[in-house]
């Protein structure tokens, strides 16, 4: 579309000059250059605004995913607590200490998760020199430490 408009503009100006009329924008077409520059500026602004919005939406999705993962982990810890309590209260099941179940029954502390994410993000920025730290990486490292 823009190419057709530019070609039409150039053609009309060259045709006007060939027919002896005064061209509105004689070669080298400074008016066309100004118009193209202005359109390109608007396109750049539009692209940057779109990218910023997409980045904000991605950040919100990552935050929601993390919150859901923490909530799911807390629910799982509660289920393990209830199962262990049921096992201890059932007279038909031999009572024993299960260290792994006790550790898994402790819900995650959201503040420690947030601290681990911030620490991992800072480390990733130092390594890459940019903003390449990801919530998934931080969560994985945090889970490996637990």
């Amino acid at each position: 579309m823009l190419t057709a408009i530019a070609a039409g503009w150039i053609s009309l100006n060259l045709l006007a000059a060939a027919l002896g009329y005064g061209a509105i924008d004689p070669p080298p077409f400074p008016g066309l250059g100004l118009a193209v520059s202005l359109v390109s500026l608007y396109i750049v602004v539009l692209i940057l605004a779109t990218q910023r919005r997409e980045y904000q939406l991605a950040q919100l999705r990552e935050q929601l995913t993390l919150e859901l993962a923490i909530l799911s982990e807390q629910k799982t810890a509660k289920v393990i607590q209830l199962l262990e309590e049921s096992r201890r209260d059932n007279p038909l099941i031999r009572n024993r200490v299960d260290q792994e179940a006790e550790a898994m029954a402790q819900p995650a502390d959201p503040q420690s998760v947030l601290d681990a994410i911030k620490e991992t993000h800072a480390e990733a920025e130092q390594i890459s020199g940019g903003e390449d730290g990801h919530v998934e990486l931080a969560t994985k490292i945090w889970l490996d430490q637990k």
Side-chain angles (χ1 to χ4, degrees), residues 6 11 18 28 34 38 45 55 87 92 100 108 112-113 139 144:
S11 299
L34 179 64
L38 190 59
V45 169
Y55 176 75
R87 183 186 58 80
L92 300 175
E100 187 176 4
S112 66
V113 173
T139 305
D144 290 343

Side-chain angles (χ1 to χ4, degrees), residues 64-83 101-114 139 142-143 146:
L64 179 62
T65 300
L66 179 61
E67 289 174 5
L68 290 172
I70 290 173
L71 181 62
S72 176
E73 191 275 337
Q74 289 173 340
K75 288 180 178 182
T76 302
K78 184 63 177 177
V79 168
I80 292 171
Q81 287 174 351
L82 292 173
L83 285 172
E102 285 182 17
M104 289 173 32
Q106 300 303 317
D109 177 29
Q111 186 60 44
S112 66
V113 173
L114 181 61
T139 305
W142 176 79
L143 289 173
K146 187 142 172 88

Side-chain angles (χ1 to χ4, degrees), residues 35-129:
V36 168
S37 296
L38 190 59
V39 168
S40 66
L41 177 66
Y42 287 138
I43 290 172
V44 166
V45 169
L46 180 67
I47 289 170
L48 290 175
T50 303
Q51 285 178 339
R52 179 180 169 100
R53 177 72 177 145
E54 287 176 4
Y55 176 75
Q56 289 171 340
L57 289 174
Q59 291 287 25
L60 289 173
R61 277 192 293 272
E62 287 179 359
Q63 182 179 356
L64 179 62
T65 300
L66 179 61
E67 289 174 5
L68 290 172
I70 290 173
L71 181 62
S72 176
E73 191 275 337
Q74 289 173 340
K75 288 180 178 182
T76 302
K78 184 63 177 177
V79 168
I80 292 171
Q81 287 174 351
L82 292 173
L83 285 172
E84 282 298 298
E85 191 175 307
S86 174
R87 183 186 58 80
R88 283 190 297 271
D89 292 345
N90 190 341
L92 300 175
I93 300 175
R94 180 176 64 90
N95 197 9
R96 62 181 172 78
V97 176
D98 187 351
Q99 298 293 335
E100 187 176 4
E102 285 182 17
M104 289 173 32
Q106 300 303 317
D109 177 29
Q111 186 60 44
S112 66
V113 173
L114 181 61
D115 292 342
I117 289 171
K118 286 179 181 178
E119 179 182 318
T120 304
H121 184 72
E123 289 173 4
E125 281 186 6
Q126 287 177 353
I127 291 171
S128 68

